Amino acid sequence: MLEHVPNWLGAMLHNVRAGHARLAAVDPDLTSDTVIELSSPAFASGARLPQRFTADGIGVSPPLIWGDVPAGTRSLVLIVEDPDAPAPRPLVHAIVAGVSPEIRQFAERTIVADGAGDTISGDVGRNSFFSEGWLPPDPPSGHGEHDYAFQLFALSEELDLGTSPGRTALVAAMAGKVIGLGLLIGIYSRGEAAPAVPNQSGAALA
């Protein structure tokens, strides 16, 4: 996919980005003052995504953990987007709708094609490549760092969207129903060395 974009072209497109203002969490109809703690045991917020979760690795979805959701939550929705994609809109990497408010985590590899899904873990929707499941981060070489925004929405109502929802229909159905929001940012880029990981003595490991 985008790994085949030459470095010189990626560099030329460096300032061509969808923009963070187009993320679902920024939509005025989807915002909330109630914060849900969203994190991952695999990476810190604002830190680099491990390669295993990208197109340069095995490309599985990362594990996610979240805290309590607001009283009155009827369902949860996860949308993962790349606002730095050289496109008119953020690239959708994953959608999971209709998640039970009793759920507090997704294990690694959870976001996969699931047909109609189920009433507990939800229904995996369509990414920007029109397929169900996790679309591994695949930024153009030379384009610089990309943010991957994991956005968890708590809804006051259950949605009736049919199976495998896409972003447009999902966002329209969520409008006015968001009562809590969690945000986690992972970063990935091509053509840059991954940061060294310190060992227990504080020395950097090669």
Side-chain angles (χ1 to χ4, degrees):
M1 295 186 290
L2 296 182
E3 71 270 19
H4 301 303
V5 173
N7 190 279
W8 63 265
L9 181 55
M12 283 186 64
L13 295 172
H14 189 276
N15 293 323
V16 179
R17 296 170 185 257
H20 289 68
R22 292 183 171 88
L23 286 170
V26 182
D27 187 318
D29 291 328
L30 304 182
T31 58
S32 172
D33 293 330
T34 302
V35 176
I36 302 172
E37 294 183 8
L38 178 62
S39 63
S40 174
F43 63 95
S45 187
R48 186 176 174 89
L49 278 170
Q51 190 177 85
R52 67 184 283 103
F53 306 121
T54 76
D56 294 324
I58 59 176
V60 296
S61 65
L64 300 171
I65 298 174
W66 53 93
D68 291 339
V69 299
T73 298
R74 298 291 302 278
S75 69
L76 301 170
V77 168
L78 177 73
I79 301 177
V80 185
E81 297 178 289
D82 172 11
D84 294 305
R89 297 186 298 272
L91 202 67
V92 178
H93 285 264
I95 285 175
V96 189
V99 180
S100 167
E102 303 302 318
I103 295 289
R104 288 293 181 271
Q105 64 179 334
F106 284 161
E108 182 176 304
R109 301 173 187 260
T110 290
I111 306 175
V112 295
D114 66 351
D118 60 64
T119 57
I120 302 299
S121 57
D123 181 16
V124 175
R126 299 189 306 276
N127 56 45
S128 282
F129 281 18
F130 304 103
S131 61
E132 284 189 345
W134 172 250
L135 179 63
D138 187 22
S141 181
H143 198 249
E145 290 186 341
H146 281 218
D147 287 349
Y148 294 88
F150 295 76
Q151 305 156 96
L152 183 69
F153 300 88
L155 306 182
S156 60
E157 299 179 20
E158 296 181 24
L159 305 179
D160 183 12
L161 295 167
T163 59
S164 304
R167 185 192 189 278
T168 300
L170 178 60
V171 166
M174 289 167 57
K177 302 179 179 71
V178 176
I179 58 175
L181 174 62
L183 179 64
L184 172 66
I185 301 291
I187 298 172
Y188 196 69
S189 61
R190 280 207 171 93
E192 299 177 19
V197 179
N199 62 21
Q200 293 182 345
S201 68
L205 297 175

